[in-house]
Amino acid sequence: MGATGLLEAQLRNWRRELHRYPELSGQEVQTTSRLKTWLAEYNIESSSWGLTTGLVADIGAGQPIIALRADIDALPIHEQIDQAFTSSQNGVMHACGHDLHTSTILGAAILLKSRESELKGTVRIIFQPAEETYRGAYEVLNAGILDDVSAIFGFHNVPELPLGTFATRAGAFYANVDRFKITINGKGGHAGRPHETRDPVIVASQLIQAVQTISSRSINNLETCVVSITQIHGGTTWNVIPETVELEGTVRTHAPEIRIAVEQQLRQIVQGIALSHSVEILVDWENGPAALINTPQWATFSKKVAADQGYRIEDVPLYLIGEDFGAYLEKIPGAFVSIGSGSPFGLHHPKYQPNESLIFPAAQYFATLAIQALESIA
């Protein structure tokens, strides 16, 4: 087996070790230790840069600096696949493929190290914690890791895309992801004497219907807008009207102004319904990751490099899932791309099983992308 085959096998083995020992967001202590050890085996120095978990390594020297990012955390999901490297952590699984992303960018780092003398600047490798909780990107930014970086690139495997396919788009790609909780405080009482109560269940039912008009009647239908109420909690038994009902849900948009408009409209609806029913309704709104908006120049550039590397290029729709990489693109230029992993089950599924064959070609792609990006800036 040649050097290429050995590295490909090594990356696959590393992915399987990461898969067997997954760690949740912010708890990636052993993952970080493994990465540091593996990088050192190839004479790549790394540092925490002040992060509690996660790792950063620079390859090359001087300006400009191009960054490659991989996410390293797992999900609180119990794996339902019986294989030699099934998760050993009960209720924790790499069900989103961050183990694939990590091994891919490890491979890119090793390939770049072998050509370090040729680099027209520096490639900064970022192994980011806590993507699933949308905190990790902000931790990286707050640590100053991107302060002197000219552009950043990252990717996500996509089970719905066949192996060997590549997709990205200029401009908006992944969505703003916001979360809301609505608490209705009414007056409880006997279910047989509802006139003596201010029934929060009735209020909740009206609120659910009214909230659906935001996307259908308040927002231009040509704009992306999804409002979903996904949880309802209230009551303890069949013959008592409760004091309180809680609703939770999510809003997905792409345009910043639509994101703001939806929150304003939701609060206005809540205020009107609360007044009409003489109840108190509290809204807790939590902004999640911002929409991921690719820099057109770098999206086009990344697609061209992929085509040159032999990927089949496909058109990609807007995604309504979230990705904290968008926080980076609010600060500096760059591009996020999709690479097909051909899994029969999708992301966050307990039987998700991506094709490992994507790892080495993707590592070669990102090494080439970084080299060419440096050359285009220098």
Side-chain angles (χ1 to χ4, degrees), residues 145-189:
I145 294 168
L146 296 188
D147 286 356
D148 52 355
V149 172
S150 297
I152 186 167
F153 300 93
F155 84 106
H156 210 293
N157 78 95
V158 178
E160 295 79 16
L161 288 177
L163 192 68
T165 57
F166 176 100
T168 193
R169 60 185 293 135
F173 192 0
Y174 285 60
N176 295 305
V177 177
D178 300 321
R179 175 181 179 179
F180 61 85
K181 179 180 179 180
I182 301 172
T183 303
I184 305 164
N185 294 316
K187 179 183 177 183

Side-chain angles (χ1 to χ4, degrees), residues 180 182 203-219 225-229 247-251 262 265-270 273 283 285:
F180 61 85
I182 301 172
V203 176
S205 67
Q206 293 188 15
L207 188 57
I208 291 168
Q209 294 297 318
V211 163
Q212 299 311 308
T213 67
I214 295 175
S215 58
S216 66
R217 292 297 180 268
S218 298
I219 302 299
C225 179
V226 173
V227 182
S228 295
I229 292 178
L247 309 174
E248 288 194 57
T250 185
V251 174
V262 172
Q265 184 67 12
L266 177 65
R267 292 185 182 277
Q268 184 175 333
I269 288 171
V270 164
I273 290 178
V283 177
W285 181 282

Side-chain angles (χ1 to χ4, degrees), residues 117-159:
S117 62
E118 304 171 31
L119 298 181
K120 307 298 184 182
T122 304
V123 182
R124 180 159 294 164
I125 307 295
I126 302 170
F127 295 102
Q128 180 209 302
E131 189 280 329
E132 295 293 354
T133 56
Y134 305 133
R135 298 194 326 267
Y138 296 98
E139 292 174 5
V140 168
L141 288 168
N142 292 337
I145 294 168
L146 296 188
D147 286 356
D148 52 355
V149 172
S150 297
I152 186 167
F153 300 93
F155 84 106
H156 210 293
N157 78 95
V158 178

Side-chain angles (χ1 to χ4, degrees), residues 49-334:
W49 269 70
L51 299 173
T52 303
T53 55
L55 209 57
V56 180
D58 282 355
I59 301 170
Q63 291 285 344
I65 301 176
I66 293 294
L68 301 179
R69 174 271 211 169
D71 36 18
I72 65 174
D73 53 331
L75 284 159
I77 293 175
H78 183 76
E79 186 165 9
Q80 295 179 10
I81 301 173
D82 185 13
Q83 54 191 353
F85 52 95
T86 295
S87 172
S88 64
Q89 311 302 312
N90 187 39
V92 183
M93 176 190 175
H94 270 296
C96 203
H98 294 185
D99 50 346
L100 283 156
H101 305 165
T102 299
S103 55
T104 293
I105 299 303
L106 270 168
I110 292 164
L111 292 169
L112 287 164
K113 185 67 176 179
S114 69
R115 300 179 61 181
E116 189 168 25
S117 62
E118 304 171 31
L119 298 181
K120 307 298 184 182
T122 304
V123 182
R124 180 159 294 164
I125 307 295
I126 302 170
F127 295 102
Q128 180 209 302
E131 189 280 329
E132 295 293 354
T133 56
Y134 305 133
R135 298 194 326 267
Y138 296 98
E139 292 174 5
V140 168
L141 288 168
N142 292 337
I145 294 168
L146 296 188
D147 286 356
D148 52 355
V149 172
S150 297
I152 186 167
F153 300 93
F155 84 106
H156 210 293
N157 78 95
V158 178
E160 295 79 16
L161 288 177
L163 192 68
T165 57
F166 176 100
T168 193
R169 60 185 293 135
F173 192 0
Y174 285 60
N176 295 305
V177 177
D178 300 321
R179 175 181 179 179
F180 61 85
K181 179 180 179 180
I182 301 172
T183 303
I184 305 164
N185 294 316
K187 179 183 177 183
H190 198 292
R193 300 181 64 81
H195 60 286
E196 296 176 351
T197 72
R198 290 193 293 275
D199 188 348
V201 176
I202 294 296
V203 176
S205 67
Q206 293 188 15
L207 188 57
I208 291 168
Q209 294 297 318
V211 163
Q212 299 311 308
T213 67
I214 295 175
S215 58
S216 66
R217 292 297 180 268
S218 298
I219 302 299
N220 188 328
N221 290 154
L222 299 178
E223 298 282 357
T224 308
C225 179
V226 173
V227 182
S228 295
I229 292 178
T230 56
Q231 294 189 66
I232 306 173
H233 302 280
T236 57
T237 189
W238 64 278
N239 62 349
V240 175
I241 291 172
E243 291 279 328
T244 300
V245 171
E246 293 180 345
L247 309 174
E248 288 194 57
T250 185
V251 174
R252 307 297 169 102
T253 56
H254 284 99
E257 63 273 16
I258 301 301
R259 184 186 209 182
I260 294 169
V262 172
E263 180 183 359
Q264 291 174 339
Q265 184 67 12
L266 177 65
R267 292 185 182 277
Q268 184 175 333
I269 288 171
V270 164
Q271 184 179 18
I273 290 178
L275 183 63
S276 66
H277 288 275
S278 299
V279 298
E280 178 188 54
I281 307 180
L282 305 176
V283 177
D284 181 14
W285 181 282
E286 179 183 337
N287 282 337
L292 191 157
I293 301 176
N294 279 335
T295 307
Q297 167 201 348
W298 289 120
T300 301
F301 186 91
S302 64
K303 190 182 297 185
K304 180 182 182 304
V305 175
D308 292 343
Q309 291 288 299
Y311 279 100
R312 297 186 301 277
I313 309 300
E314 292 197 4
D315 295 329
V316 65
L318 289 169
Y319 286 170
L320 287 166
I321 58 177
E323 166 57 66
D324 72 358
F325 195 91
Y328 299 141
L329 297 181
E330 285 187 306
K331 303 296 183 182
I332 63 173

